[in-house]
Amino acid sequence: MSKKKIVLIGATGTIGQGVAARLSERYEIVTVGARSGQHQADIADIRQVEALFDRIGKVDAVVVTAGALHFGPLAEITPQQFRIGLDSKLMGQVNVAQVAQRFLNDGGSITLTSGVLADSPIRYGAAATMTNAAVEAYVRGAAIELPRGLRINVVSPALLDESVEAYGDYFRGWETVPAKRVALAYERSVEGAQSGQVYKVV
């Protein structure tokens, strides 16, 4: 019996690697990155997303762990800097979810990624809070309209242990979580029965 197929976008990132390690024994993982993986695509460009799925074909699940954000003082954030998250982490993931619906087998799932700042803002994180909250709002709205038993959820992780060196200065006093524990939430989304959920890993 052939394995079910998962498209993992952001596969070489810290979370993506954890998800791949968690699911690769039971699933065929199709890896996608902006510049790496089996396939390359800029998810902020819906034409590239459409071409990506045309190449891959039918799948059983889609997981997105990709998306850029800007951090900086609120008074200094430019519209262009707000758009980094809006174009990449928000619309990039929305593009994937919108296109993937046509390629998912019945009962398939979509799992997107937000983050703890959707609920717990930090200094210099206004753009990240806005973007993460919007991703979660999209998932709740989309879940009630998906056909054919399709499901959509979002994972909202805290700062990863593995990311403390890069982002720890923004999160003084916060508890962190290992990527392998965050990967469990993606497994729950892929293999569970719920839809429209925000799986928080804190």
Side-chain angles (χ1 to χ4, degrees):
M1 182 177 178
S2 61
K3 292 181 177 180
K4 290 186 175 182
K5 184 185 293 187
I6 294 178
V7 175
L8 176 55
I9 300 173
T12 60
T14 305
I15 295 177
Q17 291 180 57
V19 172
R22 186 77 198 174
L23 296 175
S24 58
E25 286 189 10
R26 297 187 307 283
Y27 294 89
E28 175 188 350
I29 308 292
V30 180
T31 60
V32 180
R35 292 173 296 277
S36 60
Q38 295 165 272
H39 299 270
Q40 292 78 48
D42 176 2
I43 60 174
D45 182 349
I46 194 166
R47 290 169 297 182
Q48 292 191 38
V49 175
E50 290 169 340
L52 171 71
F53 279 95
D54 282 337
R55 292 194 303 272
I56 295 172
K58 288 290 188 178
V59 298
D60 298 288
V62 175
V63 174
V64 187
T65 62
L69 292 168
H70 174 77
F71 288 84
L74 178 66
E76 299 175 11
I77 299 178
T78 66
Q80 291 76 18
Q81 289 169 330
F82 273 117
R83 291 215 67 87
I84 292 170
L86 295 177
D87 290 340
S88 177
K89 191 167 186 181
L90 175 58
M91 285 309 303
Q93 295 195 94
V94 169
N95 287 341
V96 172
Q98 291 294 112
V99 173
Q101 295 170 43
R102 307 197 299 269
F103 292 87
L104 280 166
N105 293 320
D106 291 357
S109 70
I110 301 166
T111 307
L112 306 184
T113 301
S114 60
V116 68
L117 299 187
D119 299 305
S120 301
I122 60 170
R123 187 178 289 112
Y124 306 138
T129 292
M130 176 185 71
T131 302
N132 286 334
V135 173
E136 295 179 5
Y138 167 77
V139 165
R140 288 193 296 269
I144 64 172
E145 294 192 53
L146 290 178
R148 301 185 291 108
L150 301 181
R151 300 179 299 105
I152 185 169
N153 297 297
V154 58
V155 176
S156 174
L159 179 66
L160 302 183
D161 293 350
E162 297 85 348
S163 299
V164 168
E165 185 174 348
Y167 297 102
D169 287 346
Y170 293 110
F171 291 87
R172 297 292 187 189
W174 289 59
E175 292 188 42
T176 58
V177 295
K180 68 179 184 179
R181 184 155 78 84
V182 174
L184 290 171
Y186 291 88
E187 181 180 34
R188 178 182 176 188
S189 178
V190 170
E191 299 201 340
Q194 293 179 308
S195 190
Q197 301 299 304
V198 179
Y199 294 128
K200 299 179 183 180
V201 187
V202 295

